Amino acid sequence: MALKYIEEYRDATLARDLIKKIHGVSKRKLRLMEVCGTHTMSIFKHGIRSVIPEGITLLSGPGCPVCVTAQKDIDAFVEFARVKNVIVTTFGDLMKVPGSSSTLAKEKASGADVRIVYSVFDAINIAKDNIDKEVVFCAVGFETTIPTIAASILMGIEAKIDNFSIYSANKLTPPALAALMVTKGVEIDGFILPGHVSVITGTNAYRDTFEKYDVPSVISGFEPIDILKAILLLIEQNEIGKPALENAYPRAVSDQGNVKAQQIMNQVFEVCNAFWRGIGEIPLSGMGLKKEYQVFDAAIKFGMDMPEVPEPKGCACGEILMGLKTPEQCALYKKKCTPMTPVGPCMVSTEGSCAAFYRYS
Ligand code: SF4
């Protein structure tokens, strides 16, 4: 199936054909996890859950960057907003995520200088225009955004900017998948691997995890045909008992990935341990600034080291991110927790599982 244009990836005839094949090969119950928040949204938006066999359960994994950000990192963002002469710059999704005592939105309403940016480069420009203030960028993202943040640091050096820093809560995808595979109670029969992340990492980035855990894994794009095809491949792999690592998004993903982006990322950042909401600390799953770039590290610059704190009482975001619960199994869902009154990040983020359930189910 070689398709050239985006409309073809939404073609109803092709979709019907794939759905028929899926029903034809599906013989038993399977739990498939879509790792990326954009997949979660696309699956809901295109009604994919309603056209696949009942025995196929789709779980949302740890692929929404805001959702996996640990409570202590959210608290740090709020704390930066309270520091005199600091401008906090952030993507919009973080504004309403509840920290232990406040949100960035509430701090802004109380007078703090918190600005929504669409790219880290906007934050650099804000720093250039406000040389009497410190600008902190809340760096929350995966392999997709880390190279851009690295490029902004290099740009800051070139422009001799010394009032810009980042708080890195950046994370890497493959270590999270490996952590899930050894977490008690987690049952996953296949991963729908994230397309955007894979554009940067390439297929090879998953090879170690795949070889160690032998779990069916398919890289997928975001159109309905892409996702249905990935589901079909995962079911086929399970049914014939031959797990494989397949790239079903070859129009964007290569084996090596974007080598230039990887080089920039690895020039500025190094692998470190990181805290994930619900999962806890995963060794070598984060990206911290290398020693020579730590002058741009907001945590060091401001001595910011917030304690790890539990998730909001009753919130099941952590279990949802591990595929242990669905949003509907959270006692607060649609009661105390709604998009207008979110308790956890999974209800705040546009890519969050709870927000997707609320909007589409
Ligand atoms: S519904 Fe709200 S409280 Fe429950 S898991 Fe989702 S975000 Fe957390």
Side-chain angles (χ1 to χ4, degrees), residues 179-243:
L180 285 181
M181 294 312 294
V182 295
T183 302
K184 204 169 164 224
V186 172
E187 289 170 34
I188 297 166
D189 299 305
F191 285 118
I192 300 173
L193 294 173
H196 294 147
V197 163
S198 307
V199 169
I200 304 294
T201 64
T203 311
N204 291 343
Y206 306 102
R207 226 163 276 288
D208 286 352
T209 307
F210 169 73
E211 279 166 11
K212 191 162 180 192
Y213 300 103
D214 218 18
V215 59
S217 306
V218 175
I219 296 172
S220 171
F222 299 96
E223 298 301 330
I225 299 297
D226 291 317
I227 296 171
L228 287 169
K229 190 175 175 195
I231 291 171
L232 174 63
L233 290 170
L234 288 171
I235 296 173
E236 283 175 345
Q237 287 184 28
N238 273 281
E239 293 299 340
I240 61 173
K242 282 197 179 160

Side-chain angles (χ1 to χ4, degrees), residues 314-317 320 327 330 332-334 337 343-347 354:
C315 175
C317 275
I320 289 169
C330 170
L332 306 185
Y333 175 71
K334 279 192 175 174
C337 185
V343 175
C346 301
M347 188 60 94
C354 300

Side-chain angles (χ1 to χ4, degrees), residues 1-12 14-15 46 221-229 248-251:
M1 188 167 59
L3 305 179
K4 271 170 75 182
Y5 304 107
I6 202 76
E7 292 76 23
E8 296 173 59
Y9 292 91
R10 297 174 182 171
D11 183 272
L14 284 176
H46 295 291
F222 299 96
E223 298 301 330
I225 299 297
D226 291 317
I227 296 171
L228 287 169
K229 190 175 175 195
Y249 195 29
R251 68 184 186 279

